[in-house]
Structure formats: structure tokens, C-alpha cells
Amino acid sequence: MSSTTAEYNEVISICKGIYLKKMQDYGTSWRVLRLISIVDQLYIKAKRIRNIQEVGQQKIEDEVSGEWKAIVNYGIIALIQLELGNGDDWELPHTDAESLYDKHQQETFELMLAKNHDYGEAWRSMSQESFADLIITKLVRIKQIIANDGKTLASEGIDSNIRDIINYAVFAQILA
């Protein structure tokens, strides 16, 4: 498990570095996005990965690994937006944006550790195609939960699904 922790932290370190650099470039402009827009952005990234997997080629030379990283970061942004809500105050101090990233990343990491214990690192035997499919499935579920005004009768909520999406994207990068 210590190998998983080290590999996971290495991926997150890279993703957070991108998040911080983009924050320098764009500020916290992502605060404008409503949850459904972030879900759609996640869907676009996962759908591109799946399409490249199915077609076997790509015309835009952006690395697929960058899409997995974007899924991690948009997932964490979604968790931050869930916590903060959508207001008219779109500017967030960079220190707050970083500490919220760390908070939600840590909670997601702890969920991974618990599930990894129970499932015995089953993800190490999964394919890149499965990660993409599972992420898209969870995004479709989230869209349905949003359509149900955030209410579920017997299922995990939006935040749990997003945390799973983040973890799948990290696993995909570890196994790449």
C-alpha cells in the first residue's frame, strides 16, 4: 500500500502544480461555473479519452495524459464549488483556493485508502478503457442526481461520485 500512496501522491503533486499554474494564468475564473457546467467539462474530457481509445488515433496532439490530469483538477474544482456554492463572488484568494484544493484532495485520498483496503487494489488489474467508462457512468449518474434536485433515495451523492471519478483518473495515470 505504501507504493500506492507514493504513486498517488506523485500524480496529485503534478495535478496540483497544473492547478496552481492555471490559477496564476486565469485566477479563479472557474468559480463562474455552475456544477452542471463542471460535470459537462468532465464529460468532455472523459469522452475524448474514450473516443481516442475507440478510434485509435487523434487529430489534436494534446496528450491523453493531460485529459486525466484535467479530470482530477475539474473534479476537485467541482467539490470546491459544491462546498462554496454559486454566488456572485467569483474571486477567491489564491491561498483559499489552494487550501480548499488540499482539503478536498485529502478527503478524496482518504476515501481511496479505505476503498483500496476493502477492494485489495483491484484497480491495478483494470484497463484504461474501464477507467474512462466508469467515469462516464458516474457523470451520467451525477447528471441524473442534479435533475433530481440533488436528492437520492438509495445511492451515493454527488460528492462521492466525484471522489470516485478523481480516484479513477489518478489510477489511470499511475497505470499509464
Side-chain angles (χ1 to χ4, degrees):
M1 185 85 96
S2 63
S3 170
T4 297
T5 296
E7 292 167 315
Y8 189 101
N9 288 335
E10 182 179 332
V11 169
I12 290 298
S13 177
I14 293 166
C15 293
K16 183 179 175 185
I18 293 167
Y19 172 85
L20 294 174
K21 286 176 185 170
K22 292 215 178 211
M23 195 165 41
Q24 288 296 324
D25 291 345
Y26 305 130
T28 56
S29 59
W30 50 265
R31 286 281 295 135
V32 173
L33 298 171
R34 290 172 282 189
L35 182 60
I36 192 64
S37 299
I38 301 168
V39 170
D40 285 341
Q41 189 63 36
L42 286 161
Y43 179 80
I44 289 167
K45 299 296 183 184
K47 183 67 172 147
R48 179 171 184 259
I49 293 167
R50 181 177 167 145
N51 196 54
I52 291 168
Q53 290 169 341
E54 289 178 348
V55 173
Q57 66 177 357
Q58 60 190 75
K59 292 194 175 185
I60 298 172
E61 293 304 317
D62 293 344
E63 299 268 336
V64 171
S65 64
E67 303 294 9
W68 292 117
K69 290 171 181 65
I71 289 171
V72 170
N73 284 340
Y74 276 114
I76 293 175
I77 285 169
L79 293 170
I80 293 170
Q81 289 291 73
L82 274 172
E83 178 180 340
L84 299 180
N86 292 103
D88 291 333
D89 185 14
W90 296 335
E91 289 301 315
L92 186 62
H94 288 201
T95 54
D96 292 353
E98 183 175 1
S99 66
L100 285 164
Y101 186 101
D102 292 341
K103 172 189 169 191
H104 288 288
Q105 182 279 311
Q106 184 62 37
E107 290 173 3
T108 303
F109 173 73
E110 289 170 10
L111 175 66
M112 181 279 297
L113 289 176
K115 285 189 171 188
N116 209 31
H117 174 271
D118 290 353
Y119 289 96
E121 297 205 330
W123 62 270
R124 288 200 180 267
S125 299
M126 293 172 60
S127 67
Q128 296 288 316
E129 291 81 4
S130 291
F131 292 129
D133 291 352
L134 288 167
I135 287 170
I136 292 169
T137 299
K138 290 198 171 276
L139 291 167
V140 171
R141 289 177 183 175
I142 291 169
K143 286 184 176 198
Q144 185 60 52
I145 294 169
I146 291 170
N148 293 340
D149 294 324
K151 297 179 180 86
T152 59
L153 298 175
S155 305
E156 296 177 320
I158 293 170
D159 59 336
S160 295
N161 280 286
I162 291 171
R163 289 186 198 292
D164 286 345
I165 288 168
I166 294 166
N167 284 330
Y168 290 142
V170 171
F171 295 157
Q173 292 174 75
I174 291 171
L175 294 179

